Amino acid sequence: MDWSDAENCILQAIAALDENRPIRALSLSEQVITGYPDLLIGRLLRADALLRLDRAKEALEEAEYAVQLAPRDLHAQMLLAQAGEAAGRLGRAQQAWEAAVDLSRENPEIVREYARFMTVHRGPRPALEAARHAVELLPRDAAAWTILGQAQLRMKQWAEAEHSLQQALQIDPNDAQAQAAMAVFLHLRGREDSALALTRLLEGRKEAEQVVEAIRRDAKRRQLNRILVERGIDRPAADGKPAISRDMLILLVLIFLTCLIVPWLLLALWGLEPDQSMLVLSVVLAAIFALVFCRQWFLRR
């Protein structure tokens, strides 16, 4: 492939990504890489296409190669951060996000994405610091206030979280992420009716469907528990487990066998010859002891 053909493939790959056609972009970028394996733009285009195709591990490998070619390239670091997050390599993703923030000279949008990553995946205190910094840089951005509210929820700073989420909804009342975060806040604070009302507003919003499903499922469970308590009905064992576990049955069998065998061992040590009546007596005593133990265990439950 000569350079003019490579340039043409690069332009077509960029257009394919703009049109959300990652398969075509991947094919074109691989043609470029075949002719120019160390060309940065080819590696970046391939990493981007793989990431959009949910091939996170391959995208991570490609982004790592791109960063090796150009450690101070902002686009390479951002792709590495996104691929690392998608592949579950959170430590590597954090390093890449921090490098991207530094290379961008604290570009507000990149700082906000770094704060989102920290809030979702890392410790609550550093996440809170990153979210506060994002809001300082973007005081009129609903997404930044939403991330701050989510970080405050993790720290159980209820009043501060409510204020941040109200700020987000005041800036953009239709922001799905802000509405979903507020629904989570209301749910955690026991305001079920308000939380469920918000989930109805979020119906059909793909970015909030997991939150909606989780809140509704938990609300149904709480309602069922409340009904059972009001009617004095005990819930069955969690996860459909039987009242007597397998371990308890094994323990009862061991107790029975121990009570059955010990008398025979003692008789053998004393040099006595057990007869049939002793066998019957041992079985009866072992069964009685096991049943008494079982009854006591049930009374303690």
Side-chain angles (χ1 to χ4, degrees):
M1 173 184 285
D2 59 32
W3 180 242
S4 62
D5 290 335
E7 282 185 323
N8 187 44
C9 285
I10 290 168
L11 292 174
Q12 290 184 57
I14 293 171
L17 288 174
D18 289 341
E19 296 166 2
N20 197 26
R21 298 165 63 194
I23 294 176
R24 175 165 171 74
L26 179 61
S27 175
L28 291 164
S29 65
E30 287 177 343
Q31 291 179 47
V32 175
I33 290 170
T34 300
Y36 300 89
D38 289 338
L39 186 65
L40 179 63
I41 184 63
R43 296 292 176 176
L44 293 176
L45 289 169
R46 185 170 188 269
D48 198 343
L50 287 167
L51 193 57
R52 298 188 193 202
L53 290 168
D54 294 325
R55 292 162 63 176
K57 186 177 179 181
E58 295 172 80
L60 178 61
E61 293 172 356
E62 197 65 54
E64 288 279 17
Y65 195 99
V67 167
Q68 289 175 14
L69 292 173
R72 296 197 60 77
D73 184 85
L74 176 59
H75 192 190
Q77 291 289 356
M78 289 186 64
L79 280 172
L80 179 57
Q82 293 165 1
E85 182 177 1
R89 294 283 303 280
L90 301 181
R92 190 70 184 96
Q94 183 176 343
Q95 291 174 359
W97 275 123
E98 289 170 353
V101 168
D102 181 61
L103 289 169
S104 71
R105 298 183 180 179
E106 295 200 343
N107 175 282
E109 283 76 19
I110 294 176
V111 171
R112 183 187 63 201
E113 282 305 297
Y114 169 62
R116 177 203 57 77
F117 168 82
M118 294 294 287
T119 299
V120 173
H121 297 293
R122 310 308 272 174
R125 290 191 182 279
L128 184 59
E129 292 175 9
R132 283 174 175 162
H133 188 40
V135 166
E136 289 172 4
L137 296 175
L138 293 166
R140 295 298 302 166
D141 185 75
W145 280 104
T146 299
I147 292 166
L148 178 57
Q150 291 169 328
Q152 289 164 333
L153 280 178
R154 291 185 64 193
M155 294 290 291
K156 294 183 170 55
Q157 296 177 354
W158 308 117
E160 294 88 344
E162 185 174 19
H163 170 74
S164 297
L165 296 175
Q166 285 175 344
Q167 285 289 108
L169 290 170
Q170 187 175 4
I171 294 168
D172 185 357
N174 297 316
D175 186 279
Q177 295 294 343
Q179 291 175 340
M182 179 60 85
V184 170
F185 167 79
L186 294 169
H187 177 65
L188 291 173
R189 301 306 288 162
R191 292 151 65 178
E192 296 290 356
D193 291 342
S194 299
L196 291 171
L198 262 180
T199 63
R200 286 189 285 273
L201 290 177
L202 290 165
E203 285 181 354
R205 306 289 291 271
K206 186 175 181 180
E207 62 269 39
E209 60 186 11
Q210 290 184 341
V211 170
V212 170
E213 182 182 349
I215 289 175
R216 289 180 174 177
R217 183 173 60 247
D218 200 33
K220 287 181 181 178
R221 182 182 59 80
R222 290 186 183 184
Q223 183 181 24
L224 177 60
N225 285 342
R226 190 162 53 246
I227 292 171
L228 292 175
V229 169
E230 289 172 355
R231 297 184 180 182
I233 302 172
D234 292 333
R235 284 186 62 87
D239 300 324
K241 293 180 180 178
I244 301 178
S245 67
R246 183 184 63 178
D247 292 341
M248 180 54 62
L249 287 174
I250 292 172
L251 180 60
L252 290 173
V253 171
L254 289 175
I255 291 170
F256 176 79
L257 292 175
T258 301
C259 296
L260 185 62
I261 294 170
V262 167
W264 290 77
L265 290 176
L266 293 175
L267 290 173
L269 289 174
W270 292 334
L272 300 176
E273 189 72 27
D275 55 13
Q276 188 174 2
S277 61
M278 181 60 70
L279 173 61
V280 174
L281 181 61
S282 298
V283 172
V284 171
L285 289 175
I288 291 173
F289 187 86
L291 288 172
V292 169
F293 178 86
C294 184
R295 179 177 179 277
Q296 291 300 319
W297 182 76
F298 272 108
L299 287 175
R300 286 197 304 270
R301 278 170 57 85

